[in-house]
Amino acid sequence: RIRWPEAGPGREPDVAQGFDSTVARSEAERRCLVTRQSLPRGALVRFVVGPDGRIVPDIGARLPGRGLWLQSRRDIVDRAVASKAFAKAARRDVGIPDALADQVERLLAARCIDLIGLARRAGQALSGFDSVRRALRRGWAALLVVASDGSPRERSRLPAASVPGP
């Protein structure tokens, strides 16, 4: 859970309330099928075996069944498919959808867009050059998303430390 700084006229956010990438709360860890590393659930993608015996990505981690966890990296998903890690972990034959890594990528991208939309509706995400620049200068921003097709000129107008190069 992320606690965002309280913002308002004349109110500076408390740094201790800001975003901290090393989340303090203890999060359950799961083991990646391919790398065998134990990582927090948020760093992994959950898969389950569906009723038809096919592997289903469970991005929201809400589907019933035993979870099969992988790091959220394309090469790891491809290695899991190639090494039949899903069948080994499920202890039975499973069907693998074509282009599973592409499907996972689409689902993760859709989830990110949904979460950004939710943050906007909650007043926790900003858009617009002036409001974003103000938030960056005051240290209120935890994450900056810049369009990949955005103008280099416009990127250069933002504080230099906050915007990665092309």
Side-chain angles (χ1 to χ4, degrees):
R1 179 168 295 197
I2 298 171
R3 292 188 64 209
W4 298 93
E6 297 294 325
R11 227 177 135 186
E12 291 294 324
D14 181 3
V15 176
Q17 286 183 341
F19 176 77
D20 182 7
S21 62
T22 58
V23 178
R25 71 184 176 103
S26 63
E27 185 176 1
E29 291 189 346
R30 298 292 183 257
R31 185 179 305 250
C32 174
L33 294 177
V34 173
T35 65
R36 309 301 293 165
Q37 285 182 300
S38 290
L39 298 166
R41 288 175 43 157
L44 302 168
V45 175
R46 183 176 188 257
F47 296 83
V48 295
V49 179
D52 60 350
R54 295 181 57 82
I55 293 295
V56 177
D58 181 17
I59 302 301
R62 288 179 167 48
L63 294 176
R66 180 172 176 261
L68 308 171
W69 298 83
L70 292 178
Q71 288 184 33
S72 57
R73 292 183 11 210
R74 175 179 283 278
D75 63 319
I76 298 293
V77 175
D78 289 337
R79 282 174 47 195
V81 171
S83 67
K84 301 184 182 191
F86 291 116
K88 291 174 190 170
R91 296 186 185 111
R92 66 179 193 161
D93 288 335
V94 295
I96 307 288
D98 294 334
L100 180 63
D102 291 333
Q103 181 183 7
V104 171
E105 184 177 341
R106 279 192 311 274
L107 290 170
L108 287 173
R111 175 98 169 140
C112 288
I113 290 169
D114 290 345
L115 290 173
I116 291 170
L118 184 62
R120 280 209 26 98
R121 288 188 295 278
Q124 298 296 316
L126 301 172
S127 63
F129 181 79
D130 290 329
S131 60
V132 169
R133 184 171 59 178
R134 186 173 32 257
L136 287 171
R137 285 189 175 155
R138 292 181 179 168
W140 293 352
L143 174 70
L144 177 64
V145 179
V146 180
S148 62
D149 61 348
S151 157
R153 180 177 173 268
E154 290 301 313
R155 269 192 230 161
S156 70
R157 292 177 59 202
L158 292 170
S162 63
V163 181

